[in-house]
Amino acid sequence: MLEYLRNAAEKPVAKILIGILAFSFVGWGVAEWIFGGAIGDNSLVRVGSEKITLTQYNQARAQEMAKLTREQQRAVYTDAAKGAEFSNQIMARLTTETMAENRADDLGFVVTDRRVAREIREFPEFQVNGQFSSFLFDNILANSGYSEADFAHFLRAQVLRSMVLGGLNVAVPVADFAVDAAYNARYGQREIEFTTVKYSDFNIGAPTDDNLREFYASNPQMVEETRKVSYVLIPAQMDKPDAYDVALERAQRVEDEIIGGETLSAAAAHNGAKYVSLGEFARDTRPVDSVLTDAMVAKIFDMDEGMESELIETQKGFVIARVDKVTPRHKAEFDSVKGRLAADWKKAEQRKQAYLRANELLSSVKAGDALAGGKKATVSRTSGAPLRVLVAAFGSNVGDNGIIEDDDAFYVMQVRNEIAPKADAVKKAALRKEMESMSMRTLADDYNSFLIREYPVKVNKKVYDKVFAQ
């Protein structure tokens, strides 16, 4: 999360304003109707002693939307996954910024009014012929929806965050010996000799029923838990206050009837709602249904058989789901999988024979004999032999012998020699820069972890769920 702030801290504060001034914030209060005056705390989350309010989120969302192309904006509105990702990124940024502001306050950092005034005067957007124009300043702020106090607060917060996070932009020196070690490890080579023992080299006859039953006893196939589910949907345009209120009243009537003993289908019919029976499905093989989001499926698979859910708000409307039947995870009957077992049994038998042969070759090598069918190769970490052989070659010492298993073969390998790389100043310089960057990221991650511990985040679930309803 700190990556965004680190990048922003390197740029003039004026650049941050570009997206803000380009967008009208008339629609910031769209979701306020949800809460009315009934909820005293409309914060989405609390970060330490500070809170991120719905208004702050709406402002930040409008600013980020202004930076998107028309196609990207359309995707945010029409694609649920992209919309959720967009919202999560905004909340992550706001949370990190609030942590940094908390830290600035604890450290006693102060941004004077004089500093804020100087920053404002230096904005080119507020200048005419290189001179600050109060007329232009007032008009731009008025058109963007900012008051002078709001804008001053925005600038002060930006400067405070840069004070806290500015040190993370300083390169972390990397010792020469560390660069040399990393260079040798990355670009060094090894001389190896290996031979391949393929499973397919061994002919295995057809299995008997007894062979298959014995194999199945050691390798059972499980049928995942399935659930038969039905639900009632009271459709509504959830972003329209009047439609929301009407649908909520209908949903509560449906809920009351179900609590009173009515079936879901009958309660739906009485109130003009939609009843859907989905049949049985597993968690990972759910049917195509717009109501079955990841969050909804997780909720359904946490319920007991015969239970109805509470009233659930979704983007489509209000939902009451019922788990009609639960079929637990169980072992499949032998006869139902017998046809699929023959190929698995054959591969298992071939693997046994291949492993015996690989051990014979390894024993021979350890006794001082040449590796039968051996192939010599000079390999790097990325080329020259199958991937698992490369991993084993650089994970072993010179002189080691061993067996490496792959998906359909065993390899018997000897590590004969290692070759140091030739010095290359350009590659070393690039590697040093990469290691410095990694050190900076590690430092940033550590500092971010410190901020999270120091200023814990608490979600106001009631408000948060209303805003980010699945």
Side-chain angles (χ1 to χ4, degrees):
M1 291 189 291
L2 289 172
E3 188 69 27
Y4 175 86
L5 293 177
R6 290 203 307 273
N7 292 336
E10 296 175 347
K11 303 176 182 178
V13 179
K15 292 185 179 181
I16 304 172
L17 186 64
I18 295 174
I20 304 170
L21 301 181
F23 194 81
S24 172
F25 300 110
V26 174
W28 283 357
V30 170
E32 295 290 350
W33 62 270
I34 297 177
F35 310 102
I39 298 177
D41 182 6
N42 73 334
S43 62
L44 290 171
V45 298
R46 286 187 174 272
V47 183
S49 61
E50 300 298 321
K51 64 182 180 180
I52 298 173
T53 66
L54 181 61
T55 299
Q56 288 175 287
Y57 167 76
N58 285 332
Q59 290 176 344
R61 189 177 192 279
Q63 293 167 17
E64 293 303 316
M65 287 293 290
K67 299 175 185 177
L68 303 181
T69 64
R70 189 177 300 275
E71 291 73 19
Q72 290 172 329
Q73 290 177 354
R74 185 180 298 110
V76 169
Y77 283 118
T78 59
D79 188 315
K82 289 183 178 179
E85 180 183 5
F86 182 71
S87 297
N88 289 338
Q89 288 173 349
I90 293 171
M91 287 306 304
R93 177 171 66 81
L94 289 175
T95 301
T96 304
E97 289 176 352
T98 306
M99 287 180 184
E101 291 167 21
N102 275 335
R103 189 60 184 162
D105 185 59
D106 286 352
L107 292 173
F109 291 163
V110 175
V111 179
T112 64
D113 291 342
R114 180 178 295 181
R115 170 71 183 274
V116 173
R118 187 176 75 245
E119 295 285 350
I120 291 175
R121 287 195 299 270
E122 292 176 356
F123 270 85
E125 291 84 357
F126 302 145
Q127 295 179 357
V128 176
N129 297 325
Q131 297 295 318
F132 174 75
S133 169
S134 59
F135 175 79
L136 192 59
F137 172 72
D138 291 339
N139 275 276
I140 290 178
L141 289 192
N143 290 332
S144 66
Y146 262 101
S147 69
E148 185 173 335
D150 289 338
F151 187 60
H153 176 74
F154 167 79
L155 283 181
R156 182 173 279 107
Q158 288 286 348
V159 176
L160 285 172
R161 290 195 293 269
S162 70
M163 289 178 176
V164 173
L165 303 172
L168 298 176
N169 293 312
V170 179
V172 179
V174 178
D176 290 341
F177 78 86
V179 176
D180 290 340
Y183 181 80
N184 292 335
R186 177 173 295 186
Y187 296 107
Q189 294 180 310
R190 295 219 163 174
E191 292 178 349
I192 65 170
E193 185 174 1
F194 70 98
T195 190
T196 306
V197 183
K198 295 181 179 179
Y199 297 176
S200 58
D201 290 342
F202 300 89
N203 294 320
I204 303 294
T208 65
D209 275 6
D210 289 341
N211 291 145
L212 294 180
R213 288 185 183 279
E214 182 181 355
F215 176 75
Y216 189 58
S218 302
N219 302 274
Q221 296 189 17
M222 304 302 295
V223 178
E224 294 302 318
E225 175 186 315
T226 59
R227 296 188 168 216
K228 183 178 181 182
V229 176
S230 55
Y231 68 82
V232 175
L233 170 65
I234 300 88
Q237 292 178 289
M238 302 296 278
D239 58 344
K240 302 292 180 60
D242 292 341
Y244 177 96
D245 291 339
V246 171
L248 177 58
E249 290 181 7
R250 289 174 58 205
Q252 289 170 340
R253 289 198 299 269
V254 172
E255 187 177 37
D256 290 342
E257 289 190 19
I258 293 171
I259 292 174
E262 194 64 87
T263 63
L264 265 67
S265 57
H270 296 162
N271 294 278
K274 180 181 179 182
Y275 171 76
V276 176
S277 179
L278 294 172
E280 289 196 49
F281 62 90
R283 185 187 292 265
D284 296 329
T285 58
R286 65 194 189 212
V288 177
D289 188 294
S290 58
V291 169
L292 288 185
T293 62
D294 291 341
M296 182 66 76
V297 170
K299 187 181 293 289
I300 287 170
F301 275 80
D302 280 340
M303 294 166 57
D304 294 330
E305 182 174 323
M307 282 185 60
E308 290 96 15
S309 71
E310 73 282 6
L311 206 57
I312 304 170
E313 292 186 25
T314 73
Q315 292 180 346
K316 298 291 183 180
F318 296 94
V319 171
I320 300 174
R322 185 178 195 277
V323 177
D324 300 308
K325 179 183 177 183
V326 176
T327 303
R329 187 173 186 266
H330 60 280
K331 181 179 176 181
E333 294 293 331
F334 171 77
D335 290 338
S336 68
V337 297
K338 178 180 174 181
R340 303 196 299 269
L341 292 177
D344 293 339
W345 175 86
K346 180 179 179 180
K347 185 173 182 178
E349 292 300 309
Q350 288 178 318
R351 179 185 178 280
K352 292 178 184 177
Q353 297 300 319
Y355 184 65
L356 290 173
R357 176 56 181 157
N359 272 282
E360 290 175 359
L361 293 172
L362 180 62
S363 298
S364 178
V365 168
K366 288 182 175 181
D369 297 333
L371 179 60
K375 174 185 176 183
K376 295 181 179 178
T378 300
V379 299
S380 69
R381 289 183 177 272
T382 59
S383 64
L387 178 60
R388 295 190 184 179
V389 173
L390 296 179
V391 172
F394 284 90
S396 306
N397 297 317
V398 174
D400 285 353
N401 307 297
I403 296 175
I404 304 106
E405 184 173 6
D406 210 337
D407 294 334
D408 55 5
F410 288 100
Y411 302 102
V412 182
M413 181 192 69
Q414 294 178 296
V415 180
R416 291 185 170 275
N417 190 25
E418 60 182 348
I419 304 172
K422 295 181 179 179
D424 187 317
V426 174
K427 286 183 178 180
K428 275 195 175 183
L431 182 58
R432 180 184 295 277
K433 187 175 180 180
E434 178 184 331
M435 294 176 71
E436 288 176 350
S437 178
M438 289 176 62
S439 297
M440 290 174 65
R441 285 199 297 271
T442 300
L443 179 63
D445 289 342
D446 287 346
Y447 193 64
N448 189 46
S449 297
F450 162 75
L451 290 176
I452 291 172
R453 293 193 304 271
E454 194 74 8
Y455 310 103
V457 177
K458 296 180 180 179
V459 177
N460 186 346
K461 188 168 175 54
K462 186 173 183 179
V463 178
Y464 197 94
D465 288 347
K466 284 182 178 291
V467 176
F468 301 102
Q470 298 297 315

